[in-house]
Amino acid sequence: MGALAAAIAVGLGALGAGIGNGLIVSKTVEGVARQPELRGQLQTIMFIGIGLVEALPIIGVVIALMVM
Amino acid sequence: MEYGSPIIENVFGIPWLSVNLANVLMIIIASAIVFILSVLGARKLQMKPTGAQNVMEWLLDFVKGIVSDTMDWKTGKKFLPLAITLFTFILVANILGVITTIVYNEEVWWTSPTADPGVTLTLSSLVILLSHYYGIKLRGTNHYVKGYFTPVWYLFPIKLVEEFANTLTLGLRLFGNMFAGGVLLSLLVVLTTMNVWGFLGGAIPYLAWAGFSIFIGAIQAFIFTMLSMVYIAHKVNEES
């Protein structure tokens, strides 16, 4: 049961973060398509956002390891 | 294949204090590599830069861009040495673990120092403590304390929780990315060395993931430096 709980925790965490990252990148692509000269700044902001979102599945992995 | 770490437990007779010798070794190696490369790049400065000096100047401009994105350059210039130290150290430390892993006497001796939560949480606690120190030093105690009660006083508990959440996520993000990358690499090594079919199936994914790990290492070093500067700027900037 511990392995099952860990798998569910990691899977749901990765699902949510995947949707979130997709939204961030798609909006960044839209922004670059509208104003290509802002590409550098938008990429910086995008990486910060991705970094913030990535923390959640990573914490999910840590909790999953603790559960196992 | 599970290998242990060379951990010395109960240092100085204190029951909760234990030291991972592999981390100590890898931190010294990473620091030495960063020091030697920086000294080589900054020696014999010329007006028309060549070779290593070009790389150092590009690195300096890049980190300068990170700092000046988050705060104005007048307050930001005293954080440039901190930012460039964090960036180069974390970058080299991340890449060291991707290059290879050395196991001696069933214990892992050569791995990323940043693939250990102790190291990354130490780095992030250091950054958060520095942000408090410079917040008090540059803006005065009154402004610092008032920062916890703006815009409304009942946000105080949330602001207090935010400090701990920042420390945890900053450290655990770096640890998790490096740790997960290392686990997947070692699983692919096991698959590749199993038999012929494992080698055929695992060799290409191994190369792809090793390349991607180097990319992730660079991105994580960038994000760590960027967020450190954001947290410090949050405390230091006048208007916030």
Side-chain angles (χ1 to χ4, degrees), chain A residues 44 47-48 51-52 55 58 65, chain B residues 172-173 176 179 219 222-223 226:
Chain A
T44 309
F47 279 127
I48 295 175
L52 289 174
I58 296 300
L65 285 177
Chain B
L172 285 184
R173 174 180 306 114
F179 181 69
I219 287 286
F222 168 69
I223 285 177
M226 187 87 198

Side-chain angles (χ1 to χ4, degrees), chain B residues 122-144:
Chain B
T122 309
L123 283 173
S124 65
S125 322
L126 178 87
V127 166
I128 299 292
L129 281 179
L130 271 179
S131 79
H132 287 284
Y133 172 73
Y134 277 105
I136 294 174
K137 190 183 176 190
L138 296 183
R139 291 180 63 201
T141 315
N142 282 339
H143 274 279
Y144 171 77

Side-chain angles (χ1 to χ4, degrees), chain A residues 1-39:
Chain A
M1 287 302 274
L4 200 61
I8 291 173
V10 174
L12 287 181
L15 181 71
I19 294 171
N21 272 348
L23 287 175
I24 293 172
V25 176
S26 75
K27 288 292 176 188
T28 309
V29 171
E30 277 180 27
V32 173
R34 269 171 207 260
Q35 279 171 308
E37 69 271 17
L38 286 182
R39 183 190 179 112

Side-chain angles (χ1 to χ4, degrees), chain B residues 142-154:
Chain B
N142 282 339
H143 274 279
Y144 171 77
V145 175
K146 210 192 278 174
Y148 283 99
F149 296 97
T150 49
V152 281
W153 63 270
Y154 51 78

Side-chain angles (χ1 to χ4, degrees), chain A residues 41 43-45 47-56 58-59 61-62 65, chain B residues 69 168-169 172-173 175-177 179-180 215 219-220 222-223 226-227 230-231:
Chain A
Q41 291 178 25
Q43 266 180 345
T44 309
I45 298 171
F47 279 127
I48 295 175
I50 286 181
L52 289 174
V53 169
E54 282 288 313
L56 293 173
I58 296 300
I59 291 171
V61 170
V62 173
L65 285 177
Chain B
D69 271 354
L168 266 183
T169 53
L172 285 184
R173 174 180 306 114
F175 155 66
N177 275 290
F179 181 69
F215 173 70
I219 287 286
Q220 289 304 318
F222 168 69
I223 285 177
M226 187 87 198
L227 284 177
V230 167
Y231 292 151

Side-chain angles (χ1 to χ4, degrees), chain B residues 36-57:
Chain B
I36 291 169
L37 287 184
S38 305
V39 167
L40 283 183
R43 259 179 52 197
K44 292 188 217 150
L45 295 179
Q46 298 161 347
M47 283 306 288
K48 284 183 184 166
T50 51
Q53 194 188 341
N54 267 327
V55 179
M56 280 309 289
E57 284 187 2

Side-chain angles (χ1 to χ4, degrees), chain B residues 3-47:
Chain B
Y3 294 114
S5 302
I7 294 177
I8 298 179
E9 283 172 357
N10 302 345
V11 185
F12 307 127
I14 306 171
W16 47 263
L17 191 65
S18 56
V19 171
N20 189 340
L21 283 181
N23 279 343
V24 178
L25 175 74
M26 291 313 296
I27 287 173
I28 292 172
I29 291 176
S31 309
I33 290 175
V34 169
F35 179 76
I36 291 169
L37 287 184
S38 305
V39 167
L40 283 183
R43 259 179 52 197
K44 292 188 217 150
L45 295 179
Q46 298 161 347
M47 283 306 288

